[in-house]
Amino acid sequence: DIVMTQSPESLAVSLGERATFNCKSSQSVLHGSNNQNYLAWYHQKPGQPPKLLVYWASTRESGVPDRFSGSGSGTDFTLTISSLQAEDVAVYYCQQYFSSPWTFGQGTKVEIK
Amino acid sequence: QVQLQQWGAGLLTPSETLSLTCAVSGGSFSGYYWTWIRQPPGKGLEWIGEITHSGSTNYNPSLKNRITVSVDTSKNQFSLMLSSVTAADTAVYYCARGRARSFGSGRLPGIWGQGTMVSVSS
């Protein structure tokens, strides 16, 4: 199985400031046939199911605000919130869908400083 | 809009079989991936398995000997059965629909059910 490792475990950021989360896969999730990284990001607010934010490492899902951006390739990925809003308090998960079983990172919890 | 409503027994004793059903309303059943994911209390997400509308399945090998995911297209429902449960199977179980009718990113859960807490205790 591909192991997904996220850092940091938690993050406290002031409103309006940038938040950055990291995700590392134990093997590359870049597919040679289409040059796509099979990497997605979700966030999960308390008491709610997760919500898909980004797929193909950098494509925002429909309706996701443009303050969320994903980057990276191969084994190292980043999700950035350019200006943290109160409603962004959540746990953020990365997931690979390159090789079954699809696996998630352990999550990064974001709080307001 | 598309909604997923899930139900099933919330309290099981060890060795029983977990059974959950997810009903889809407000949208088409065909062409999508249908997925089960679980989350132990206070922990992260674990992908359980997926099924297409035509019944092709893909399971997490860690559960493969105990899991069955099935689909009933006549009712726009899909189901999860997990046999021989133990305390380690205690979790919130989510059903979800793929984000789009496509391979690759289409299988990613884009619409989720509300979750069902399943506890296993003697």
Side-chain angles (χ1 to χ4, degrees):
Chain A
D1 298 4
I2 296 178
V3 177
M4 308 300 292
T5 303
Q6 292 185 240
S7 62
E9 287 190 8
S10 64
L11 188 62
V13 178
S14 300
L15 290 173
E17 295 298 307
R18 179 183 300 262
T20 301
F21 326 114
N22 302 302
C23 175
K24 188 175 183 66
S25 56
S26 61
Q27 63 188 75
S28 176
V29 298
L30 175 63
H31 207 296
S33 66
N34 58 6
N35 204 38
Q36 293 279 17
N37 287 283
Y38 284 56
L39 190 284
W41 289 95
Y42 303 77
H43 72 189
Q44 184 179 28
K45 300 179 181 181
Q48 297 184 18
K51 176 185 177 181
L52 178 64
L53 299 173
V54 168
Y55 58 95
W56 297 137
S58 61
T59 300
R60 270 188 303 276
E61 177 67 317
S62 176
V64 173
D66 61 6
R67 63 179 181 273
F68 293 92
S69 62
S71 62
S73 185
T75 61
D76 292 280
F77 300 91
T78 299
L79 179 71
T80 300
I81 308 175
S82 60
S83 175
L84 189 76
Q85 306 299 303
E87 61 264 32
D88 301 333
V89 169
V91 179
Y92 288 77
Y93 295 97
C94 61
Q95 180 208 355
Q96 65 81 21
Y97 52 107
F98 179 87
S99 174
S100 182
W102 325 127
T103 48
F104 293 87
Q106 80 279 18
T108 293
K109 185 175 183 179
V110 173
E111 299 173 321
I112 304 296
K113 184 185 292 183
Chain B
Q1 71 277 23
V2 179
Q3 291 188 320
L4 276 60
Q5 181 72 34
Q6 56 182 106
W7 65 88
L11 182 60
L12 299 172
T13 56
S15 80
E16 287 189 315
T17 296
L18 178 157
S19 179
L20 297 173
T21 298
C22 185
V24 181
S25 62
S28 174
F29 198 76
S30 66
Y32 290 97
Y33 284 91
W34 303 95
T35 297
W36 290 97
I37 288 169
R38 70 181 182 179
Q39 185 171 37
K43 296 188 178 180
L45 303 165
E46 180 183 24
W47 176 79
I48 297 172
E50 64 191 8
I51 191 167
T52 66
H53 74 282
S54 59
S56 297
T57 56
N58 180 24
Y59 297 151
N60 192 324
S62 69
L63 301 169
K64 196 167 188 177
N65 292 334
R66 300 193 290 133
I67 185 177
T68 302
V69 178
S70 59
V71 65
D72 185 341
T73 54
S74 67
K75 296 182 179 179
N76 279 9
Q77 294 177 357
F78 64 110
S79 298
L80 168 69
M81 294 185 71
L82 183 67
S83 64
S84 305
V85 297
T86 70
D89 295 311
T90 294
V92 175
Y93 286 74
Y94 293 102
C95 63
R97 192 204 79 177
R99 58 168 296 278
R101 286 193 180 103
S102 62
F103 295 111
S105 70
R107 68 178 0 117
L108 295 172
I111 298 176
W112 297 66
Q114 79 277 17
T116 299
M117 179 67 210
V118 177
S119 298
V120 181
S121 174
S122 55

